Amino acid sequence: MRLSAFSTVLVVLLFSFHSLAIASSDIAEFTIHSASDSAELTDEVRDNVIRFMASYVGKPFTPRRTKLISKDVTKALQALGYYRHTVSVAFDPQTRGVALHLDPGNPLSWYNVEISLQGIADETLRSRLIAGAIQAGEQVRHDQYEATKAQIESLLLELGYFDFQWQKKQITVERELQQVSATLVLSAGPRYRFGALHLSSDSKAIDFARALSPFQPGELYVSDKLSEYNLTLNETPYFQSVRVYPLLKARQGGEVPVRVELVDKPANSYEVGGGYSTELGAKARFKWSKPWITDGGHSMTSDLNVSQRQQDISAAYTIPMSDPNSDVFRILGGYQLQDDLTEGVDTKTWNIQIQRQWLTSGNWVRTAFLKREHETSDQDGEVLKTEMLIPGVSYAKKQTLGGMLPYWGNERLISVELASESVISSTSLLKVRWKNAWLRNLEQRHFFLTRLEAGAIVTEDIAAVPFNMRFFAGGDQSVRGFAYQSVAPRDENGKLLGGKYLATASAEYNYQFLPNWRVALFVDSGTATDDFKEKWALGAGFGLRYLTPVGPIRLDHAWGLSKDSKSTRLSIVIGPEM
């Protein structure tokens, strides 16, 4: 019994010492050294070897593991074309570090590269498949060899070659001759065409979904058309979710069917939001949408916006014509109250309009409209009532990259409006407006934003034109450092009148110093005038941008440099610059 207890204690002690010995030999780190003064170790070589060694850290250093380490060092070097190398491995028990002494030698170049694409007769397609492929004479790189294979495979799948097979894919090394060759032989097989379109049968908008398909059964398969189809369906007002994908397992007879899974939006949807801007103050928004009213795909939206200085309600009834995304007929109506938003002016406005909106061949959104509008304005007790019948047309084009945090963009707008006193309007006028904005970046860190805007009203008496149609400058989206719509002609008592002409320009630089933070510098200038005799307003300042999923929160501090007082204004705006 005593012997048994003693044996147990001895086994435990031996096991403990063994565990401590193993732990003390665990690898803590790897260091890489040149085996000789003539051995050149590039950063790429060092990084790749360390990457291969990462799995050994924390494991015991043993004779068997020494051989495995040497093999993996060889793999790391050969992957970069170093086939004539030497390596020695040494372990320091005190530091538990492994020292690798390397002489990589000179890298080898591809001696011969054979890429054979059987079944691809189209020379243009062959050129696309091997564009950027490895070539004889280039330094051997296994990652580039794998990238060449992946590029060929990806493009074949994009174009419907689902049955392709590699007949041969290998790297051959002639060690005595110090030659490395690559062979890629592929049989492309048949190119498939689009087959039948299978859509969710319970969607109300199934006919629209079918009509919007950018391909027909029998056309050559191109995966980009599926992406285009998916995007087009998501842009319609009808679907909550869309999924378009090929049924590869069901392909037969040279055709692959396509499945379209659609989930309709709810019969009624509601959105509630809020925010703050210096010009409007605190604001709240409520939106009601009804995406499907009739079998013809009619839809309706209604918006209620309430802020300290402005309240408005509007509704739009949309009737799709040939395409619910790019060709629609719309009926709109709205009512708006403004309380001293423009200095000393209170306004009440209601309007109703009909419009036709469609996409041109150049991707401009063209809107032709006829608007009936009534406005009552009260400026320090002086009341002006106007009624207008305004036909007009506008062209708008917006291109951005980056979603709610754009890093590149162009934005353009041209509009023309007419009114005649002889056709139930308070005055005759012709109004033209042009806006353009550009956003560019350098290295995703430096951002440059410029804006230009110009406008003109041809009329005999600007005082008879409704306040909301006159030109004013100043504010967060115009000339910063000046109050909202405070830059315009005034009468002898200092009352704002508004101008016949508008010209503004803005330049802004943003520097992103943290993932969610940018600092901004800007200068704005402009005028609203009747004759361009007034001095142009000039504002400049700095700001901060905090980036959020709904767009940046923009905090600006601007000086009105052309004002006698040189006073400053602080502004807060939420939303994208474009």
Side-chain angles (χ1 to χ4, degrees), residues 106-217:
N106 294 320
L108 299 181
S109 299
W110 294 110
Y111 176 72
N112 183 55
V113 176
E114 178 189 356
I115 301 177
S116 177
L117 304 172
Q118 300 170 4
I120 303 293
D122 187 331
E123 287 300 323
T124 302
L125 177 55
R126 292 177 68 88
S127 298
R128 288 180 61 192
L129 287 166
I130 62 175
I134 56 174
Q135 296 182 9
E138 295 179 346
Q139 181 177 333
V140 173
R141 292 284 301 259
H142 290 195
D143 58 341
Q144 293 176 359
Y145 166 80
E146 294 295 334
T148 295
K149 287 196 306 178
Q151 174 183 301
I152 293 172
E153 292 173 354
S154 176
L155 185 53
L156 287 174
L157 291 174
E158 288 176 14
L159 297 178
Y161 290 93
F162 300 117
D163 297 336
F164 78 85
Q165 290 185 341
W166 287 107
Q167 305 297 317
K168 191 175 184 180
K169 48 179 180 176
Q170 68 178 30
I171 296 176
T172 304
V173 181
E174 298 287 346
R175 296 192 180 277
E176 293 183 2
L177 300 175
Q178 292 297 300
Q179 294 176 353
V180 183
S181 299
T183 304
L184 295 171
V185 180
L186 177 140
S187 175
R191 183 177 181 183
Y192 281 79
R193 296 176 179 270
F194 286 111
L197 195 61
H198 300 281
L199 295 100
S200 302
S201 59
D202 55 349
S203 172
K204 294 178 180 177
I206 190 169
D207 291 338
F208 280 102
R210 192 180 301 279
L212 290 172
S213 172
F215 55 83
Q216 297 296 324

Side-chain angles (χ1 to χ4, degrees), residues 60-318:
F61 183 83
T62 63
R64 179 177 180 275
R65 190 152 279 126
T66 303
K67 295 180 180 179
L68 294 175
I69 289 173
S70 296
K71 287 182 178 179
D72 278 348
V73 170
T74 294
K75 290 180 182 178
L77 293 173
Q78 289 182 349
L80 299 176
Y82 296 93
Y83 283 81
R84 295 174 290 189
H85 63 271
T86 60
V87 56
S88 64
V89 182
F91 179 71
D92 184 348
Q94 299 298 322
T95 63
R96 297 187 294 123
V98 176
L100 302 175
H101 295 271
L102 307 179
D103 183 355
N106 294 320
L108 299 181
S109 299
W110 294 110
Y111 176 72
N112 183 55
V113 176
E114 178 189 356
I115 301 177
S116 177
L117 304 172
Q118 300 170 4
I120 303 293
D122 187 331
E123 287 300 323
T124 302
L125 177 55
R126 292 177 68 88
S127 298
R128 288 180 61 192
L129 287 166
I130 62 175
I134 56 174
Q135 296 182 9
E138 295 179 346
Q139 181 177 333
V140 173
R141 292 284 301 259
H142 290 195
D143 58 341
Q144 293 176 359
Y145 166 80
E146 294 295 334
T148 295
K149 287 196 306 178
Q151 174 183 301
I152 293 172
E153 292 173 354
S154 176
L155 185 53
L156 287 174
L157 291 174
E158 288 176 14
L159 297 178
Y161 290 93
F162 300 117
D163 297 336
F164 78 85
Q165 290 185 341
W166 287 107
Q167 305 297 317
K168 191 175 184 180
K169 48 179 180 176
Q170 68 178 30
I171 296 176
T172 304
V173 181
E174 298 287 346
R175 296 192 180 277
E176 293 183 2
L177 300 175
Q178 292 297 300
Q179 294 176 353
V180 183
S181 299
T183 304
L184 295 171
V185 180
L186 177 140
S187 175
R191 183 177 181 183
Y192 281 79
R193 296 176 179 270
F194 286 111
L197 195 61
H198 300 281
L199 295 100
S200 302
S201 59
D202 55 349
S203 172
K204 294 178 180 177
I206 190 169
D207 291 338
F208 280 102
R210 192 180 301 279
L212 290 172
S213 172
F215 55 83
Q216 297 296 324
E219 286 185 22
L220 288 173
Y221 180 92
V222 180
S223 64
D224 284 349
K225 290 192 175 182
L226 296 184
S227 301
E228 178 188 345
Y229 192 20
N230 192 92
L231 181 62
T232 298
L233 292 176
N234 270 303
E235 288 177 345
T236 68
Y238 309 127
F239 307 114
Q240 182 171 297
S241 68
V242 176
R243 187 179 174 216
V244 181
Y245 57 95
L247 297 172
L248 296 180
K249 292 183 178 180
R251 66 185 187 273
Q252 60 179 355
E255 292 188 340
V256 56
V258 175
R259 175 70 176 170
V260 182
E261 294 180 358
L262 304 169
V263 177
D264 289 349
K265 286 183 177 178
N268 295 279
S269 61
Y270 308 94
E271 296 178 26
V272 178
Y276 178 86
S277 74
T278 311
E279 294 163 356
L280 298 177
K283 53 186 178 180
R285 175 175 180 256
F286 176 78
K287 182 178 181 179
W288 168 44
S289 300
K290 198 169 182 63
W292 190 266
I293 298 176
T294 72
D295 291 340
H298 298 195
S299 60
M300 186 188 76
T301 59
S302 178
D303 283 277
L304 173 64
N305 296 282
V306 179
S307 66
Q308 291 172 269
R309 293 186 174 183
Q310 178 175 291
Q311 303 84 43
D312 63 75
I313 185 169
S314 62
Y317 189 91
T318 302

Side-chain angles (χ1 to χ4, degrees), residues 344-482:
V345 181
D346 297 336
T347 62
K348 299 177 181 179
T349 308
W350 69 262
N351 67 70
I352 185 168
Q353 66 173 292
I354 55 175
Q355 63 177 222
R356 177 74 181 273
Q357 187 177 86
W358 63 104
L359 201 63
T360 70
S361 57
N363 288 323
W364 286 80
V365 177
R366 176 170 51 197
T367 305
F369 58 88
L370 180 65
K371 177 168 61 175
R372 178 63 173 171
E373 185 170 88
H374 284 242
E375 180 188 273
T376 300
S377 62
D378 185 339
Q379 187 175 27
D380 297 332
E382 185 177 335
V383 177
L384 173 67
K385 293 184 178 182
T386 60
E387 58 177 12
M388 306 291 288
L389 182 66
I390 307 170
V393 63
S394 70
Y395 287 81
K397 190 173 186 179
K398 181 177 179 181
Q399 302 162 290
T400 61
L401 298 174
M404 296 300 289
L405 298 171
Y407 56 85
W408 182 95
N410 286 330
E411 190 173 46
R412 284 159 281 183
L413 172 67
I414 303 169
S415 66
V416 179
E417 297 175 285
L418 297 165
S420 174
E421 194 172 356
S422 61
V423 186
I424 53 175
S425 293
S426 300
T427 189
S428 298
L429 61 81
L430 167 64
K431 181 177 181 180
V432 181
R433 193 164 192 168
W434 170 80
K435 296 172 67 175
N436 214 327
W438 300 267
L439 174 64
R440 297 294 184 268
N441 80 91
L442 179 64
E443 298 178 347
Q444 297 290 315
R445 184 175 294 273
H446 307 274
F447 299 85
F448 306 90
L449 176 66
T450 57
R451 293 191 188 93
L452 295 175
E453 184 174 2
I457 300 173
V458 180
T459 186
E460 292 184 358
D461 183 9
I462 190 66
V465 175
F467 255 91
N468 74 85
M469 294 192 71
R470 303 178 196 179
F471 286 121
F472 299 87
D476 299 339
Q477 304 299 314
S478 180
V479 182
R480 286 165 284 192
F482 293 80

